[in-house]
Amino acid sequence: MLMGVDPHLLRTFVTVVREGSFSAAADRLGYTQPAVSQQIAALEADLGVPLLLRRPVRPTRAGERLLEHAGPLLLRLRAARADVARVVAESHVVTVAASPLAVTPGTAAALARAAAVPAPEASAGSPGAAGTVTVRTADPGAAVALAASGEADLALVDGPAAPSDPLALPDVGPLTSSGVGEEPLVVVLPEGHPLAGRPGLRLDALADALWVDAPGVLPLDRLRAVARIDGFRTGLRYEGHDVATLARLAAAGHGLALLPRSAAACGAAVPLAWPRLVHRIEVLHGSLPDGPARRVVHALTAR
């Protein structure tokens, strides 16, 4: 049904729904409001169904179904354009969309090694003899979307998972995923906390405790889903991406935090005893020609 739909009309429809009004969508897209109205009318005429209720602006049932398809379709279109451009591009800049906990001492060192490797076709000392790596911080879902759309060459993402199990990530298209590494998880709490001397802690025993909810690092919703446990009350919400700040908040008593062992630089770090989870890092990417981005993937996945 959607094969012949004009992607410009589809993008306008998504923007109207997201912004909640025709005028706001016009401002976002750089159109006039009548132009936005005409595009929505053209899309409705093409599909033969009303897609939006006007007052207030919200999708009809048909519009809701279209919205489910529109995001992945537009993402695939951006990815195709980026993939074609990547074939002919000669850029030595590699953009890595990375979730905060995926940038560990090991992955940072791998990125530095990859950036220092001269391109085979470049002469010593010539411009572009070595690549340049740009790291862009994003939560795991956003990082994957950036790689799928071509706005980033790679996504370096992390999360809790059963040993050797792949991460549960949104399906945004044909991306190749490779494991980068795994390490133990620890519960970070203040020095002197009654549980600080335990050899290990079970998450089910901590379900009623207060936790630091850090959506940009490890949201409590994801912890509940992976551990399959309700609870984990919010003691403090941290909306930043700095892992050291999250660890300091937990060490200061604002709530518990679950972190990879290498990120627990302060407070008491007690190993996670149950459930059997590890901190897993993966790299995801689309098709990559020979060049700096492929060298970065090789450096990250080399054992």
Side-chain angles (χ1 to χ4, degrees), residues 79-94:
R81 287 174 174 166
D83 205 23
V84 171
R86 194 180 291 120
V87 170
V88 298
E90 296 182 357
S91 173
H92 292 277
V93 177
V94 180

Side-chain angles (χ1 to χ4, degrees), residues 32 44 50 62 73 75 96 99 111 119 122 132 155 159 181 186 199 204 209 266 291 294:
T32 63
E44 290 178 326
L73 285 172
L75 188 64
V96 180
S99 52
L111 293 175
T132 298
V186 297
D204 56 354
C266 55
R294 181 171 288 188

Side-chain angles (χ1 to χ4, degrees), residues 266-290:
C266 55
V270 182
L272 178 66
W274 187 92
R276 192 164 172 257
L277 298 173
V278 295
H279 177 248
R280 179 173 173 83
I281 300 174
E282 295 179 5
V283 60
L284 295 91
H285 57 86
S287 59
L288 294 176
D290 289 334

